[in-house]
Amino acid sequence: MKRFYLVGFLVLMAFDTLAQLSFKKAGDAALPLEFSPSWLWRVFAQPWIYGALVGYIGAFFTWMHLLRRAPVGPAFAASHLEIISVLLLSHYLFQETIGLPQILGCAFIIAGIACLAVSEAQYHGAAEPAEKLAQGPADSAAGARAAAR
């Protein structure tokens, strides 16, 4: 299960990062803004706009798949890991500066995700024995046999 979450959130982060960086490149090419058919042609002739669309569509389906199993609170927090990846890649690709406030913000994001993950693990760790007791010994034995198969 941990592998599912790790791979799932890395894929989600990759799609979200692709979308944000592609929008940055597409936005740079779309300036100056104007409402004309030639401007629309210029925007949709850029490959970056399609990178953004692929990123958003991929992120949508990845997010829907993750939410089928993951609790929404920690999952929503973990979905914001893209902020860190976008920050790091924008520094590399666009030479944007990273200062102490950005580093502190990234540290708070990671700390918040860790706090939610620990609390979720404690909640489920405490809830599982109570659920097994409620099922009774016969149900526990049947569950153990099913798990062994």
Side-chain angles (χ1 to χ4, degrees):
M1 187 58 88
K2 288 181 182 178
R3 186 178 192 185
F4 169 80
Y5 289 136
L6 179 67
V7 171
F9 282 107
L10 285 176
V11 170
L12 179 64
M13 186 171 66
F15 276 126
D16 279 337
T17 302
L18 172 68
Q20 296 306 317
L21 295 176
S22 295
F23 261 125
K24 169 74 174 172
K25 295 290 273 184
D28 287 345
L31 294 176
L33 297 177
E34 56 187 70
F35 290 108
S36 68
S38 64
W39 179 80
L40 282 175
W41 179 256
R42 186 167 37 117
V43 168
F44 285 102
Q46 292 291 320
W48 296 109
I49 196 74
Y50 300 105
L53 289 174
V54 167
Y56 272 120
I57 291 169
F60 173 78
F61 284 107
T62 305
W63 180 240
M64 291 296 112
H65 190 68
L66 281 168
L67 283 182
R68 290 175 56 194
R69 295 185 184 177
V72 72
F76 184 68
S79 71
H80 290 82
L81 284 171
E82 81 193 53
I83 294 170
I84 297 170
S85 62
V86 168
L87 180 74
L88 294 174
L89 286 173
S90 66
H91 175 71
Y92 175 73
L93 295 173
F94 307 116
Q95 287 76 43
E96 294 181 0
T97 58
I98 298 176
L100 184 60
Q102 289 90 358
I103 293 170
L104 287 174
C106 292
F108 282 127
I109 289 170
I110 293 171
I113 293 168
C115 287
L116 287 171
V118 167
S119 70
E120 189 69 27
Q122 288 175 345
Y123 173 75
H124 283 293
E128 284 182 13
E131 291 173 1
K132 288 181 181 176
L133 286 176
Q135 290 176 348
D139 290 342
S140 295
R145 283 193 302 271
R149 287 186 234 154

